[in-house]
Amino acid sequence: MPASTREAVRVAVLADSDTRWKWGALTARRITTATAEPTGFVLRGRATPTARQLAETGVSQDAPREVTGAEFLRAVRDAETRGEGFDVLVLSLVGGTVRAVLQGLADLSLERRPVIVTGYVGVVYEKLTDGLLLRHGADVVLANSRHDAERFRAVYEGVGAGADSVVEAALPFLGGAPHAPEAGRDTLVFAAQPSVPVTKAERAYVLRRLIAHARLHPDREVLLKLRSKPGEHTTHLEEFPFQKLVRELDPPDNFRLVYGHMGEVLDRTDLLVTVSSTAALEALHRRIPTAILTDLGVREALGNHHFVGSGLLTSFDRLDEGDVPIPDETWLARQGVASDGSYGKAFDAARDRVAELLALPALPPITPYYTAETAPGYLPGILARHRLDVTAPEPRESGLRRVVREAARGAYRHGVQRVAPVIRRLGEL
């Protein structure tokens, strides 16, 4: 029965990190008429967020259930068996996992499959073509701006794949009060990224310059906003955490490390500085002065090339002298962050598209671009890595299994942040 004939729309979100859970849960609310909280699932893996990280996103009172990919597919199948099948699935995942889940959903042969929605959690500056083609087959591929929508359609059309799934929307977590300066307050916030820049030397450089800036401006509060605490992981690996690098330095009292919800930190921000964090778009939407660093170059590997033409590119030397970049309004509009009132309608097209699909008597088969015919040397490896076999016996959960799993995660994180750098240094001898 089409969901349009029922009063309630049942929505599920599958995410693989804290930021993607935030994107998925907020997107689910913006593109459907569902009044109930979406059913949340977080994929068990390298970047599985902790309870603290999930709570810090501030998007739901109910913690998502941790599952494997096969367990998620079983949950979808069992929900339909009970007559409580999901109407919409939001896949907030990396591209390869999206493709694997699409295959798993197709293999379930549900009587009526859900509408499948996917997209990107922020600035798309790497692996554009591969990431998009791995997501092809979803009913809706959300683009966070007009700029992204044009690029997405160009990729799909360029390989002969249908581009009708691309729908222009916006980042779902933009919002908050416009910037309002306060007398006596002067706060610079640096939005850190786990893997940008990636090398120890470059991350130490950024840290030294932030501390030097704090010393140069003793009346300014300089906050280093961190994504995760030691031992936690995010979407991207953080090999050299700022928390550890700062131990080798002696910062002044007006320099501090902070955690917490980015929106709350922005409430007291007077200048947001970053290399290429999506936090820049959040700040720009609120008209908070924003600076994109060029000290380490303007490079695709850093992601700051995305901001070419924005008017925001600057350096620590200029910031030390009091420079405050002025954003280009045309660039802002193309990125979907202009605070001109249009954001309130940014999800109308996506909401309409989902409603149209829900009203169909039946949804068409899932037809991804990557198949055994188009990518026989690539697709099998992707599917094999995810092992989405719902016919395999379901493992029994136990206290011992949870302890072993957490120990394995801890060992992995220790290897990334401690052992790997040592091995790399030995290799350079």
Side-chain angles (χ1 to χ4, degrees):
M1 165 174 30
S4 61
T5 65
R6 295 201 312 262
E7 184 174 339
V9 175
R10 290 187 282 263
V11 185
V13 177
L14 176 64
D16 58 9
S17 71
D18 55 337
T19 53
R20 291 202 180 95
W21 165 242
K22 178 180 178 180
W23 181 89
L26 293 177
T27 294
R29 293 182 189 139
R30 291 189 181 276
I31 65 171
T32 69
T33 58
T35 55
E37 286 283 303
T39 301
F41 300 89
V42 68
L43 202 59
R44 185 176 302 148
R46 174 188 60 77
T48 304
T50 63
R52 186 202 67 82
Q53 288 175 293
L54 291 171
E56 195 172 271
T57 64
V59 298
S60 177
Q61 297 295 323
D62 301 323
R65 171 185 161 196
E66 185 178 319
V67 294
T68 64
E71 289 169 344
F72 171 73
L73 292 175
R74 290 192 192 98
V76 172
R77 180 196 61 191
D78 294 346
E80 185 191 60
T81 301
R82 296 192 305 269
E84 301 172 352
F86 295 113
D87 302 304
V88 179
L89 295 182
V90 178
L91 302 182
S92 189
L93 309 162
V94 295
T97 309
V98 170
R99 179 60 188 86
V101 173
L102 287 173
Q103 187 67 48
L105 291 168
D107 292 344
L108 287 179
S109 299
L110 300 172
E111 183 177 344
R112 179 180 176 84
R113 69 171 181 84
V115 174
I116 303 168
V117 180
T118 190
Y120 289 86
V121 73
V123 175
V124 185
Y125 65 83
E126 61 179 353
K127 299 180 181 178
L128 172 67
T129 300
D130 186 36
L132 279 171
L133 294 181
L134 287 167
R135 289 169 170 83
H136 190 267
D139 299 295
V140 179
V141 178
L142 293 174
N144 294 325
S145 66
R146 187 192 327 153
H147 173 67
D148 279 351
E150 292 170 357
R151 294 195 296 162
F152 292 6
R153 293 189 183 107
V155 169
Y156 284 160
E157 292 167 355
V159 299
D164 291 343
S165 61
V166 177
V167 179
E168 180 183 339
L171 289 168
F173 42 76
L174 301 184
H179 178 240
E182 291 183 9
R185 188 190 71 188
D186 183 12
T187 304
L188 179 152
V189 173
F190 179 82
Q193 298 162 264
S195 60
V196 177
V198 68
T199 70
K200 182 178 181 180
E202 290 176 336
R203 294 176 78 79
Y205 169 84
V206 170
L207 186 56
R208 288 196 305 271
R209 291 304 304 258
L210 282 170
I211 290 174
H213 184 86
R215 289 198 179 101
L216 187 65
H217 300 272
D219 294 331
R220 165 174 278 180
E221 188 176 29
V222 177
L223 306 179
L224 174 52
K225 168 64 173 68
L226 299 167
R227 281 277 310 281
S228 60
K229 293 187 176 182
E232 297 176 336
H233 260 324
T234 55
T235 304
H236 301 284
L237 293 174
E238 185 170 20
E239 194 170 313
F240 303 105
F242 283 114
Q243 297 98 317
K244 295 181 180 179
L245 297 177
V246 78
R247 296 172 187 169
E248 304 171 8
L249 305 171
D250 183 26
D253 292 340
N254 62 321
F255 174 89
R256 290 191 296 117
L257 307 183
V258 296
Y259 301 91
H261 189 281
M262 176 56 76
E264 295 174 357
V265 175
L266 290 177
D267 287 342
R268 53 193 172 109
T269 299
D270 298 297
L271 175 61
L272 189 284
V273 182
T274 188
V275 177
S276 60
S277 171
T278 302
L281 302 181
E282 295 184 62
L284 289 166
H285 180 74
R286 299 175 61 170
R287 292 293 176 176
I288 297 170
T290 302
I292 303 297
L293 290 177
T294 63
D295 290 57
L296 302 173
V298 180
R299 299 183 280 143
E300 283 81 356
L302 295 175
N304 55 357
H305 71 291
H306 179 84
F307 294 88
V308 170
S310 68
L312 304 172
L313 298 171
T314 191
S315 66
F316 269 119
D317 282 355
R318 292 175 178 172
L319 293 176
D320 287 347
E321 295 170 358
D323 177 58
V324 178
I326 298 176
D328 181 88
E329 294 298 327
T330 301
W331 186 91
L332 289 180
R334 284 183 54 78
Q335 299 303 319
V337 294
S339 53
D340 57 0
S342 60
Y343 184 70
K345 300 180 179 180
F347 294 88
D348 288 357
R351 195 179 303 110
D352 291 344
R353 176 70 61 85
V354 170
E356 291 169 5
L357 291 167
L358 289 174
L360 292 176
L363 291 170
I366 298 172
T367 54
Y369 173 76
Y370 280 141
T371 64
E373 181 181 4
T374 60
Y378 182 43
L379 180 62
I382 292 173
L383 300 181
R385 282 197 299 273
H386 291 83
R387 301 191 300 275
L388 300 183
D389 182 8
V390 297
T391 64
E394 189 168 357
R396 293 176 59 189
E397 186 66 14
S398 66
L400 177 60
R401 181 181 292 275
R402 284 192 295 272
V403 170
V404 171
R405 186 165 61 236
E406 289 303 317
R409 282 182 189 156
Y412 178 82
R413 291 162 181 163
H414 177 80
V416 168
Q417 296 181 348
R418 293 181 180 273
V419 179
V422 172
I423 293 175
R424 187 177 296 111
R425 287 196 297 270
L426 290 174
E428 294 171 352
L429 294 178

